[in-house]
Amino acid sequence: MKKPLPILLLASLFIVQTAKTQDCPEVCPQVGLSTAFEFLAGLEIGPLFNISGDNGGYADFSGSLSATFSAGTSYSYQIGVSYPQGPFSDVYKAWMDFNQDGDFEDPGELILDNFGQGIVSGSIFVPSTALNGPTKLRVAIGFQAIELCEDIPEGEVEDYCVNIVGGQEPACD
């Protein structure tokens, strides 16, 4: 009667190792073409904190950094830019894919639109209609106007995968 224990243990290890992890939906590519004049130095958006430095125009932190946001809640933010040659005034934008459909084009998904120099601050709101689970967050800064999904001549883009709780349950496939 001692044989079932090893089999049960092996079965539980197999289940843990084969469990599918949830990833954020992919979104359109967007990069900064040059960081010679400015780049994202760091950010704090609610529970998400990252000192990133110059990443050559783009960094995907989706697999290495995350934070949990509660639907129906406001969060403060601070975003800092570093200037190898400057300072300059920049456009600061951020989007969250609240309905997890792989784009940032839906109403309310542009969560931050600011203009400033150095460190800008303000607040964002995660709506109660946001879907629970992994959600793509993009932060971009640039010297000129930033258009969604278009490369930025001078600036930088960072992507994150954050978790939303307390919102709506996603529909089953």
Side-chain angles (χ1 to χ4, degrees), residues 70-73 98 125-132 164-169:
S70 294
T73 304
F98 291 126
F125 181 72
V126 178
S128 58
T129 56
L131 295 182
N132 291 332
I164 294 181
V165 297
Q168 305 294 311
E169 288 300 322

Side-chain angles (χ1 to χ4, degrees), residues 6-110:
I7 292 172
L8 181 61
L9 182 59
L10 286 175
S12 65
L13 287 173
F14 179 74
I15 291 169
V16 169
Q17 290 175 348
T18 60
K20 185 178 182 228
T21 60
Q22 291 184 333
D23 295 321
C24 280
E26 291 298 316
V27 294
C28 61
Q30 183 174 23
V31 300
L33 301 175
S34 172
T35 56
F37 296 97
E38 65 264 290
F39 58 85
L40 273 164
L43 57 80
E44 184 173 6
I45 302 174
L48 180 65
F49 178 79
N50 189 25
I51 302 297
S52 58
D54 187 348
N55 295 294
Y58 177 75
D60 186 357
F61 294 107
S62 295
S64 59
L65 289 170
S66 187
T68 298
F69 289 82
S70 294
T73 304
S74 291
Y75 294 93
S76 61
Y77 70 81
Q78 288 189 2
I79 299 174
V81 173
S82 187
Y83 303 99
Q85 304 175 38
F88 304 99
S89 293
D90 289 302
V91 175
Y92 298 66
K93 288 194 176 185
W95 299 265
M96 254 193 207
D97 185 16
F98 291 126
N99 62 356
Q100 301 168 3
D101 68 346
D103 67 50
F104 298 117
E105 298 173 359
D106 302 292
E109 291 186 337
L110 175 63

Side-chain angles (χ1 to χ4, degrees), residues 1-8:
M1 279 287 161
K2 293 189 179 187
K3 285 189 178 190
L5 182 59
I7 292 172
L8 181 61

